[in-house]
Amino acid sequence: MSLMNRKKPRMRKEPVKREATPFEQARDEMFQHIMRCGVIGSAEHDQTEWFDQTMEYLTERYHELSAVQLVELRILGERFAQPAKEKQAG
């Protein structure tokens, strides 16, 4: 067998797996809690109370998050908890 006919072994590149940042972990945990706890579609007062308590918990659990990150996290959570908007017939 000639050298020209040999196939080079190809190295498969595995995607680089990186560990999620504390912010990403907190965000994902909060989204899971929102779905499990029925926050979506609940009354605004109930959502406010739920977010107050949940943010207190997340602040203690993820002590490495800055005040700015905690504000961003709450905003993301409140947006996530909004019911889906229905398309208007046009």
Side-chain angles (χ1 to χ4, degrees):
M1 189 167 175
S2 85
L3 292 174
M4 301 283 289
N5 290 337
R6 284 194 197 165
K7 290 185 178 179
K8 289 184 179 180
R10 293 189 179 185
M11 301 293 287
R12 293 186 183 201
K13 292 185 179 180
E14 295 289 326
V16 176
K17 295 180 183 177
R18 67 173 181 81
E19 195 164 321
T21 65
F23 180 84
E24 293 167 334
Q25 291 173 353
R27 178 202 60 208
D28 294 348
E29 184 175 339
M30 181 178 57
F31 286 175
Q32 289 173 1
H33 285 301
I34 288 169
M35 291 185 291
R36 271 196 306 249
C37 295
V39 178
I40 298 173
S42 64
E44 187 175 334
H45 171 75
D46 293 333
Q47 281 189 10
T48 300
E49 186 176 323
W50 186 90
F51 275 106
D52 289 346
Q53 293 172 0
T54 301
M55 292 309 299
E56 186 176 317
Y57 163 77
L58 291 173
T59 299
E60 291 175 15
R61 179 161 162 77
Y62 296 96
H63 55 84
E64 57 269 71
L65 296 180
S66 69
V68 171
Q69 288 176 311
L70 290 166
V71 169
E72 290 175 7
L73 192 61
R74 181 162 184 151
I75 290 169
L76 286 174
E78 289 173 345
R79 287 181 184 163
F80 187 77
Q82 296 303 308
K85 294 182 180 177
E86 295 184 26
K87 289 189 174 187
Q88 301 276 328

